Amino acid sequence: MVQKVLGALGWVGVAVVVAGMVARFVVPERQELWWWALVVGVALIVVYGLGQWRSVAELFERRQARYGTLATSGVLLGVAILVGANYVLARQNKRWDLTAARQYSLSDQTVRILESLESPIRVMVFAQEFDFPRYRDRLAEYEYTSSQVSLEFVDVDRNPGLARQYEVQSYGTVVFDYDGRVERVVSDQEQELTNALIKAVEGEERRAYFLQGHGERLPTGTERDGYSALADALRLDNLSVETVILSQAGEVPADAAVLVVAGPATDLLPAEVALLRTYLEGGGKMLFLIDPPDSPDAPARDNLLGLIAEWGIEVGRDMVVDVSGVGQLLGTDATVPVAASYPQHPITDRFALLTAFPLARSVRPAAGGTGDRVATSFVETSPRSWAESNLDLTTGEVTMEAETGDVPGPVSIAAAVAVEVEAPPDGGGDEAAEADAGGGEEAAEAAGDGESGTEDGAAAADEGPAETRVAVFGDSDFAANGSLGIQGNRDLALNAVNWLTEQENLISIRPREPEDRRITLTADQQFRIQVASLFLIPGLIFGTGVLTWWRRR
């Protein structure tokens, strides 16, 4: 009787389990129904198994049952290992980019910016659903790199309200929302996406001014010696580009994040140097790119070089010659020194690219510094180079002659200095003098302005002293349109500007365009590949098989 009841329980348990599985797919919303059906069914089957333990024990005493049990256990163990490995790997996402140009990996610049995020950033892709995978492939890397990034995909047609809220005007718009600042970009390329990310994180756009009036390089110039490519790259780093003529403006613009002096052909006026000196002593940032003299009797530009010397940097009257042969890899000659050695400095942190400097002069830190202004070199040429003091290169042959003033390599061709300075307080003596000269209400208003200036000065004092930063290169051609594409020239120039503007998180190697790695074949080469793939290789395999068969026969 008991055995009949237990047998019935077994069949009932199987029926209940089947019913629970059917309910799982038919009425998935009734979770409590199919869940408890499965639990009760399995319990009944277990009770049936316990009641038939003698039969089960006799079954396992047979040899075939034991072998079957071992085989089943091995299969279950293998399945358990696969399930466990899949569970672990699904939560430990690791990818390897095996492409030569690492085109499926984020650039060093993007990684640095993402790792420096201090607050959550919301990235939303407004597109049509079928277009989501194109953006997911790239932006998933952003989300994977930083836990602060949350990625969302919004179908514009299904959710027009959210698109209207973020002022989305077209399909394919990517929105970066960071601390209330919103930036939009219509692109799936890393350079444009990272540019929008920088703008959202940095907030207000900074300004880089290029000094004009002395034959300097034009940031709008599209010729080989122009700086339009550098200006475009600076805009991608959230820097707007403007020009300024000091003799007309009378001062360096107050909103200047950095002032660039790129390859002046003539010397600056004493009054202009005085304005630049005041700007630097107040915590200004300047980038000098000074070319070597064109000839032995060229003017020395004492005013400009004297200002640079005040900050502990010496600009040599020479030209660097490089006979290492490395320049031949780039198609250049000995007058284009190539640098692959970069002393420790924030500008060249983790920088390992070749840079070339057409017609460069030496730039070295002054021995012992100038007061508390101690500069540091950050670009050096190879040991097989030297600073040639004889600027007459018409003969085409030069040799290293230390007795004539030549300096053996490695030669420093770029140096930088950073010094904390006390910024002048606001509301100075001029306003007080005007108050004394006036009377009545004007004097009272001036006094009120003075109190306001005092408060502003106290607030500035609480922020700490300003920091003057100066970087000097012994060449301006390396950043021109004709040379900016050489290996690391672009990144080095941008790193120097970002260091000057105190945007250290942007100092890095930037995204690069994917290389065109297609193979171009002639008609004859295509014919030979076709013959080899259709006849030679299959014929060789077939012949080897026939030969093996013949020998074994």
Side-chain angles (χ1 to χ4, degrees):
M1 183 64 182
V2 175
Q3 294 297 326
K4 292 182 179 181
V5 173
L6 290 175
L9 288 177
W11 287 109
V12 172
V14 172
V16 172
V17 168
V18 172
M21 296 178 63
V22 172
R24 168 67 178 83
F25 293 98
V26 175
V27 283
E29 67 278 2
R30 299 290 301 276
Q31 179 178 356
E32 69 285 353
L33 175 62
W34 55 261
W35 169 254
W36 284 109
L38 291 175
V39 170
V40 171
V42 170
L44 292 175
I45 294 174
V46 170
V47 171
Y48 169 77
L50 294 175
Q52 303 293 328
W53 66 272
R54 287 190 180 89
S55 300
V56 174
E58 291 176 358
L59 178 64
F60 279 96
E61 288 179 356
R62 301 175 184 176
R63 180 180 300 178
Q64 292 181 348
R66 289 198 300 269
Y67 290 160
T69 301
L70 290 175
T72 303
S73 300
V75 172
L76 293 176
L77 180 61
V79 172
I81 293 174
L82 290 176
V83 172
N86 182 69
Y87 178 83
V88 173
L89 294 177
R91 286 154 178 77
Q92 300 293 329
N93 189 10
K94 182 64 177 177
R95 304 173 65 183
W96 290 270
D97 187 354
L98 303 180
T99 58
R102 298 185 62 80
Q103 64 188 68
Y104 298 111
S105 299
L106 295 179
S107 67
D108 182 52
Q109 181 192 45
T110 303
V111 172
R112 281 197 172 192
I113 295 172
L114 291 173
E115 290 178 347
S116 65
L117 292 176
E118 298 178 354
S119 301
I121 184 169
R122 188 181 182 189
V123 183
M124 291 170 286
V125 178
F126 290 87
Q128 293 176 302
E129 187 173 357
F130 67 84
D131 218 14
F132 286 168
R134 180 163 63 95
Y135 295 90
R136 183 179 287 109
D137 292 341
R138 174 60 65 187
L139 289 171
E141 291 287 340
Y142 286 68
E143 188 177 35
Y144 171 68
T145 302
S146 174
S147 59
Q148 299 280 20
V149 178
S150 62
L151 180 59
E152 302 176 30
F153 292 89
V154 181
D155 190 326
V156 177
D157 298 327
R158 295 182 179 179
N159 197 344
L162 188 60
R164 191 179 304 110
Q165 176 184 342
Y166 280 94
E167 300 179 4
V168 174
Q169 302 296 327
S170 62
Y171 292 112
T173 300
V174 181
V175 175
F176 292 84
D177 188 348
Y178 182 79
D179 278 349
R181 295 189 293 269
V182 176
E183 287 294 333
R184 306 166 191 82
V185 60
V186 184
S187 175
D188 63 344
Q189 298 300 311
E190 182 186 354
Q191 183 67 77
E192 285 75 17
L193 293 172
T194 301
N195 179 35
L197 173 63
I198 292 171
K199 291 181 178 179
V201 173
E202 295 292 331
E204 183 179 358
E205 187 177 51
R206 306 190 183 194
R207 294 182 181 274
Y209 283 87
F210 281 71
L211 186 65
Q212 298 293 295
H214 316 88
E216 293 91 349
R217 308 294 179 116
L218 287 171
T220 56
T222 57
E223 303 81 7
R224 283 184 56 84
D225 60 350
Y227 267 38
S228 61
L230 179 61
D232 292 339
L234 289 174
R235 294 187 184 97
L236 291 177
D237 279 358
N238 200 32
L239 281 165
S240 64
V241 176
E242 308 286 347
T243 59
V244 60
I245 301 177
L246 278 182
S247 58
Q248 295 179 351
E251 64 177 356
V252 177
D255 60 348
V258 61
L259 180 63
V260 182
V261 183
T266 61
D267 200 5
L268 274 63
L269 299 174
E272 293 175 314
V273 171
L275 292 175
L276 295 180
R277 182 179 295 111
T278 301
Y279 170 66
L280 289 176
E281 291 176 351
K285 279 71 174 178
M286 290 194 67
L287 173 62
F288 296 91
L289 302 103
I290 312 299
D291 291 313
D294 298 331
S295 61
D297 56 350
R301 307 177 203 171
D302 293 332
N303 295 334
L304 177 60
L305 300 187
L307 174 64
I308 296 175
E310 293 177 8
W311 292 90
I313 299 176
E314 295 180 353
V315 180
R317 187 175 174 80
D318 49 36
M319 181 179 295
V320 179
V321 178
D322 188 349
V323 295
S324 64
V326 178
Q328 295 179 1
L329 301 175
L330 304 175
T332 62
D333 57 16
T335 61
V336 183
V338 175
S341 174
Y342 306 97
Q344 184 61 38
H345 191 275
I347 293 177
T348 52
D349 182 30
R350 294 190 291 180
F351 190 85
L353 299 175
L354 291 177
T355 49
F357 300 84
L359 299 178
R361 68 198 301 172
S362 65
V363 175
R364 63 180 66 89
T370 303
D372 60 345
R373 302 168 181 176
V374 179
T376 303
S377 171
F378 61 90
V379 180
E380 291 181 349
T381 59
S382 71
R384 296 189 59 193
S385 63
W386 70 88
E388 176 65 43
S389 59
N390 180 15
L391 298 176
D392 186 7
L393 303 180
T394 56
T395 60
E397 296 182 2
V398 291
T399 57
M400 167 63 189
E401 299 177 357
E403 60 275 8
T404 62
D406 294 350
V407 180
V411 179
S412 172
I413 55 177
V417 60
V419 181
E420 290 187 352
V421 296
E422 293 294 339
D426 296 332
D430 292 341
E431 294 182 0
E434 293 177 2
D436 291 339
E441 296 179 358
E442 294 183 359
E445 291 176 2
D449 292 342
E451 292 176 1
S452 175
T454 303
E455 294 177 358
D456 293 341
D462 292 340
E463 295 177 358
E467 186 176 56
T468 296
R469 294 189 177 187
V470 177
V472 182
F473 285 89
D475 176 41
S476 67
D477 294 297
F478 88 99
N481 297 336
S483 303
L484 197 65
I486 296 177
Q487 288 285 328
N489 283 20
R490 176 174 177 266
D491 287 314
L492 182 62
L494 293 176
N495 285 357
V497 174
N498 284 318
W499 175 77
L500 290 168
T501 58
E502 299 182 356
Q503 298 184 108
E504 280 83 355
N505 62 321
L506 302 184
I507 296 177
S508 54
I509 307 301
R510 287 152 185 83
R512 300 190 179 279
E513 295 295 330
E515 297 180 12
D516 187 352
R517 305 183 69 84
R518 291 176 293 182
I519 299 177
T520 303
L521 302 175
T522 63
D524 180 62
Q525 290 171 330
Q526 294 179 30
F527 175 75
R528 282 184 285 174
I529 291 176
Q530 186 176 18
V531 170
S533 58
L534 294 180
F535 300 104
L536 293 183
I537 297 177
L540 180 62
I541 296 174
F542 179 76
T544 302
V546 172
L547 179 61
T548 302
W549 170 80
W550 181 261
R551 286 183 175 180
R552 291 182 176 180
R553 187 179 65 87

